[in-house]
Amino acid sequence: LAALTPAELARLPTADRAEIDGALTAHERWEDAQSFRSFLTSPHYCGLDLSPMVAAIVDASEGRRPDTIDDATSERYFGCGLDALPRERRRTVAVQAGGRGGKTSRLLAPKALHAAWTVPLPTLGADEHAVALIVSSELVFARQALSFCVGYVRQSPALSAALVGEPGADSLTLRRPDGGLVDVRVRAAGARGKGGRAFTLVGAFLDEACFFFDESGVVNDREIVRACSPRIVPGGQLWMVSTPWIEGVGVLEEELASSWGTHAETLAVRGV
């Protein structure tokens, strides 16, 4: 195709031009899905305009050096300068942020879709469904996160064409270009981590993780993490986001305390 001039392309039969246009569009969509940031901003997928800080978190989550913030901003939110951020993807991403900052609508929910669309699944069976699992403190909040996913799918040319059936109250299903079936499902945080068991996970996405309590009122975020982590396939990630609650209490707070500024095991973002 690169060897053809525009005039030569114009002289091709209509059917051939349509086939070439379709191939180019499919390739463009494939390229736009390869990084989380391009998935978020591409008109083929989410079509978002990102704030500088959200873009920086997205880039850093994949081991890319952010180019939308300066060193002073990086020090404030990541605890280190840009050059000290990890150059490899961390398996866990922990984000503490204030309310209405977009942590669910612009990070957690679209990341669940991106994982569902892109994480390799070489051993998935022909009729097996993998899962991008969203867990929140209550089912109503998890369903809110799913509603953001549904909105992105509806307006995306690529994702809407891949939707299998109609989204339900607690899940939607995508058929990927490789034929794999992946559900985006929601669960409330349950006792003994039951919300995260029994699935092959492309990722686990814990929303308002500082507020995870089981039916008896016991903090159960650790059980959820223990249930989900071993089930996340290579290439997938565990994301934990929350508004702050009690300093020093819970897995998210522990991850921030141990990794903020160093990011040795977890990409940690505080105070967005």
Side-chain angles (χ1 to χ4, degrees):
L1 295 178
L4 295 177
T5 67
E8 289 171 330
L9 284 171
R11 288 196 295 270
L12 289 173
T14 301
D16 289 345
R17 291 201 306 273
E19 183 177 353
I20 290 170
D21 288 343
L24 290 172
T25 299
H27 181 71
E28 182 182 353
R29 287 180 178 178
W30 179 84
E31 286 189 327
D32 283 352
Q34 296 316 296
S35 78
F36 185 24
R37 184 170 170 185
S38 61
F39 184 86
L40 286 169
T41 58
S42 168
H44 294 305
Y45 295 102
C46 298
L48 291 174
D49 292 323
L50 303 181
S51 71
M53 193 59 214
V54 167
I57 295 170
V58 166
D59 287 341
S61 75
E62 296 189 317
R64 304 173 192 271
R65 189 182 192 276
D67 60 6
T68 56
I69 60 172
D70 58 19
D71 272 308
T73 306
S74 181
E75 290 276 2
R76 178 179 178 184
Y77 295 109
F78 292 105
C80 64
L82 293 170
D83 289 338
L85 286 170
R87 290 295 177 264
E88 293 181 354
R89 181 196 310 261
R90 294 294 181 254
R91 186 168 172 82
T92 302
V93 178
V95 180
Q96 181 195 77
R100 310 303 298 174
K103 61 184 179 297
T104 301
S105 62
R106 290 179 171 250
L107 286 172
L108 195 84
K111 183 59 190 180
L113 285 174
H114 182 245
W117 195 245
T118 63
V119 170
L121 290 166
T123 63
L124 193 69
D127 296 318
E128 181 185 0
H129 288 226
V131 174
L133 184 66
I134 299 173
V135 183
S136 194
S137 54
E138 297 182 33
L139 191 56
V140 64
F141 300 136
R143 285 173 172 166
Q144 176 65 19
L146 181 66
S147 73
F148 290 127
C149 294
V150 172
Y152 289 130
V153 169
R154 294 287 194 203
Q155 60 86 41
S156 163
L159 299 178
S160 61
L163 187 64
V164 178
E166 285 296 305
D170 296 330
S171 68
L172 64 84
T173 300
L174 297 174
R175 184 178 296 278
R176 300 170 8 149
D178 61 7
L181 292 165
V182 183
D183 302 336
V184 180
R185 296 187 194 176
V186 299
R187 292 286 187 273
R192 297 179 300 280
K194 65 181 181 182
R197 299 191 186 279
F199 301 129
T200 296
L201 300 180
V202 295
F205 308 93
L206 312 187
D207 192 26
E208 295 295 5
C210 289
F211 298 85
F212 279 19
F213 303 89
D214 66 18
E215 294 85 346
S216 63
V218 175
V219 176
N220 68 339
D221 56 349
R222 194 175 311 280
E223 291 303 317
I224 299 294
V225 171
R226 286 174 178 168
C228 291
S229 290
R231 294 167 174 81
I232 299 174
V233 300
Q237 289 180 309
L238 170 68
W239 280 64
M240 297 183 286
V241 306
S242 186
T243 48
W245 180 233
I246 302 174
E247 185 175 356
V249 175
V251 175
L252 176 57
E253 284 284 333
E254 292 173 5
E255 292 292 336
L256 291 172
S258 64
S259 294
W260 191 74
T262 65
H263 312 286
E265 301 293 335
T266 294
L267 179 75
V269 190
R270 187 193 294 275
V272 180

